[in-house]
Amino acid sequence: FSDVWREFVAEANTKRLLAAIGLGAAAFAMQDALLEPYGAELLGLAVGSTTMLTGSWALGAIGGFSLSTRVLERGFDPLRLAGAGMVGGICAFILVLMAAPLHSALLLAVGAGSIGFGIGLFSVGTLIAAMSLAQRGDSGVALGAWGAVQATAAGSALAVGGVIRDTVSWASGAGGRAAGYATVYSLEIVMLIAALVVLGPLAGKRIGLTGELPGGQMVLPEFPT
């Protein structure tokens, strides 16, 4: 395995892609556990309403998965697709940030759905790009690398996001809850911009991509989670 792994990450494109995947996954995941508390604490939403935020997120993700399959079947660059997902995520986090000062539950719901949509585009795009780097049947390594980077980055960011929210809120004193959430969402925007910078040199080069989905058409139930 170590020999196969060294060969897989030997290319600069592979390392850059994995770095972009890690940054993007961390940026999207940092607010995962904070979305519902955000609505409850800052907008005064009831439990049922905050649960609907997760529903909006899920519907957005399904929409992103579905659109990704359609455009990739037509030969769209997976890396550009992933970049579009990150741009969508930046816009979504801005909407979430604006929801509190405007006291708009609708804006928060739209932002939550947009986050899910951006994640859908980003996840599928980076997965196909990673799989396209596989050679001589080592697609399992490519899929494993994609999953490991995603899981590690997302899990770490989830924990860090909670710590940042609590620390900033505590340091801000009375009325500091909004500052804690704003700090996390602002940091996520910065991380997505950084991920775009890392991914940018690869977009359009297709880094060995064939323009076809590995293994033929991929439908939603086959997408690894």
Side-chain angles (χ1 to χ4, degrees):
F1 172 79
S2 60
D3 292 339
V4 173
W5 177 255
R6 282 195 299 268
E7 190 172 339
F8 178 69
V9 299
E11 294 293 332
N13 286 339
T14 301
K15 295 178 181 178
R16 180 176 286 272
L17 177 60
L18 293 178
I21 291 172
L23 279 170
F28 277 117
M30 188 172 284
Q31 54 79 49
D32 260 6
L34 304 181
L35 185 61
E36 292 191 30
Y38 181 96
E41 292 189 39
L42 302 188
L43 297 181
L45 299 181
V47 174
S49 298
T50 58
T51 302
M52 289 299 293
L53 294 175
T54 302
S56 298
W57 179 96
L59 287 175
I62 292 173
F65 293 149
S66 300
L67 178 62
S68 298
T69 299
R70 291 181 180 274
V71 299
L72 288 173
E73 286 174 347
R74 297 174 182 174
F76 194 78
D77 183 359
L79 294 177
R80 292 190 185 279
L81 181 68
M86 288 188 280
V87 172
I90 292 172
C91 296
F93 291 140
I94 292 175
L95 289 177
V96 172
L97 280 171
M98 294 173 58
L102 295 177
H103 205 74
S104 173
L106 176 60
L107 202 60
L108 181 57
V110 173
S114 300
I115 292 172
F117 187 76
I119 290 175
L121 300 183
F122 170 78
S123 299
V124 176
T126 53
L127 171 63
I128 299 303
M131 293 292 288
S132 299
L133 289 171
Q135 298 177 1
R136 295 187 306 280
D138 58 353
S139 58
V141 176
L143 179 59
W146 177 85
V149 171
Q150 283 254 3
T152 302
S156 301
L158 188 62
V160 171
V163 171
I164 292 175
R165 191 270 315 259
D166 292 342
T167 301
V168 173
S169 298
W170 172 80
S172 301
R177 302 301 290 178
Y181 287 108
T183 300
V184 172
Y185 282 105
S186 298
L187 180 58
E188 287 179 301
I189 292 173
V190 172
M191 292 174 66
L192 284 177
I193 293 174
L196 282 170
V197 171
V198 173
L199 189 67
L202 299 181
K205 295 181 179 180
R206 305 196 70 81
I207 56 173
L209 303 177
T210 62
E212 299 177 356
L213 295 180
Q217 182 178 0
M218 181 181 69
V219 294
L220 186 61
E222 296 172 348
F223 184 74
T225 58

